Amino acid sequence: MRVGILGGGQLGRMLALAGYPLGHTFRFFDPSPEAGAGEVGELVNGSYDEEEALKRFADGLDVITYEFENVPVEAARLLEQYAPVHPNPAALEAAQDRLVEKRYFRTLNIPTAQFRDVDSRADLDAAVEALWLPAVLKTRREGYDGKGQRVLREPSDLDAAWSDLGDKALILEQFVRFDRELSIVATRSTGGDFRYYPLVENTHVDGILSRTVAPAPDVSERQQRAAEGYAHRIQTALDYAGTLAVELFEVDGLLMANEMAPRVHNSGHWSIEGAETSQFENHIRAVTGQPLGSTGLRGQATMLNLIGTTPDPADMLKVDASHLHLYSKAPRPGRKLGHITVRSDHLERLETSVAALEALISGTEE
Ligand SMILES: Nc1ncnc2c1ncn2[C@@H]1O[C@H](COP(=O)(O)OP(=O)(O)O)[C@@H](O)[C@H]1O
Ligand SMILES: [Mg+2]
């Protein structure tokens, strides 16, 4: 099939790389002529409000999907005139606004931190009064990698946070003292079939994902089932075809939803080597109407993100059992430039390699 992908970043690139063996071809839409996916498929440049450019992109495509959640909903809906768009653009609406998203979780009986809508300084004071400190003030839209957020620890933090973020629509969330962060990645087919990946454990540094361990250690069956239930409810309610990720906080054994991503997710990159079928391949299978593949584990895997700078590739490849993925992006502080996954059937071998890679990575950070 001819598959169109909205967004030409690393996720689009990895979707195409997973889809070529299945016989598909790929075209990307991105405002930037530099978009890294342009190296692995045709790239159409344009802005999301340019109907003409969207039409050019859609011409001859059999199905359209997206690799980032800030695709304007109007653009996705317009494209539905030309080819099926999966996942359902309703998923964009639910995921683009943190307030809508948290309310949506609540309607599906998925636990979240307490939250309040903040549209004015008076709202902020009232929200702090209700939720107490510490709390996290976030922009409702367009935040990623920890951007657009301020942790409020004392009343004196409010003024600075308000002057930084107060010109945008905001949400105040209770600060969750989580034991750890987990996520679940799930794929649903157009026919309503589900595949779940095991819960993984994520470590963030400065709000950016740094490491994923798959499977997460010490997960109970009850926790795995609870997380699958959250994904199941979301994907069913949205009549969703494709891969979805739900980020979770574990608190005293319970799982609270933090946010969802209606797309393949960084915490699923390990699955390229660590699962029978990767999150990317399953996404492509889902949106093209093909049967889903097994999410069974192949040993254990740890994924490390390469952020801002990358060690010498040769040094990383020397490390036993390592698999390097570079995204062809110019280095910039805080930017995800690639990732490296260690996969092994032996925990000791895996831990030795991960330690070696972490030493290389920390050696390149200024
Ligand atoms: N309410 C909260 N309580 C505690 N930590 C939080 C809270 N919200 C976010 N964080 C921390 O900040 C990280 C990034 O926040 P998140 O809401 O996931 O935004 P982003 O879209 O930037 O990933 C989370 O993974 C978590 O480590
Ligand atoms: Mg997040």
Side-chain angles (χ1 to χ4, degrees), residues 287-299:
V287 303
T288 56
Q290 290 173 313
L292 302 181
S294 162
T295 51
L297 287 167
R298 296 196 286 189

Side-chain angles (χ1 to χ4, degrees), residues 104-105 108-111 183-188 192-197 199 223-248 255 257 259-261:
Y104 198 64
F105 289 150
L108 296 173
N109 231 344
I110 297 171
S183 60
I184 180 116
V185 172
T187 310
R188 182 178 182 264
D193 237 12
F194 287 87
R195 290 288 186 284
Y196 304 101
Y197 291 87
L199 277 164
Q223 288 176 318
Q224 178 70 31
R225 271 203 308 274
E228 291 179 5
Y230 300 169
H232 188 279
R233 275 172 257 165
I234 295 165
Q235 290 185 309
T236 305
L238 291 168
D239 191 18
Y240 190 106
T243 295
L244 166 94
V246 187
E247 297 178 11
L248 304 160
L255 302 180
E259 61 171 349
M260 64 175 166

Side-chain angles (χ1 to χ4, degrees), residues 200-241:
V200 296
E201 183 171 330
N202 301 316
T203 309
H204 293 84
V205 177
D206 300 330
I208 309 180
L209 183 67
S210 161
R211 182 181 52 189
T212 297
V213 173
D218 305 317
V219 167
S220 69
E221 241 183 85
R222 194 179 46 79
Q223 288 176 318
Q224 178 70 31
R225 271 203 308 274
E228 291 179 5
Y230 300 169
H232 188 279
R233 275 172 257 165
I234 295 165
Q235 290 185 309
T236 305
L238 291 168
D239 191 18
Y240 190 106

Side-chain angles (χ1 to χ4, degrees), residues 98 136 138 143-147 149 173-176 178 181 204 207 247 249 258-259:
R98 293 182 196 278
V136 188
K138 301 181 181 179
Y144 69 98
D145 287 348
K147 293 183 178 67
Q149 314 195 0
E173 295 177 12
Q174 187 185 38
F175 186 88
V176 180
F178 51 78
E181 292 191 80
H204 293 84
E247 297 178 11
F249 297 137
N258 170 35
E259 61 171 349

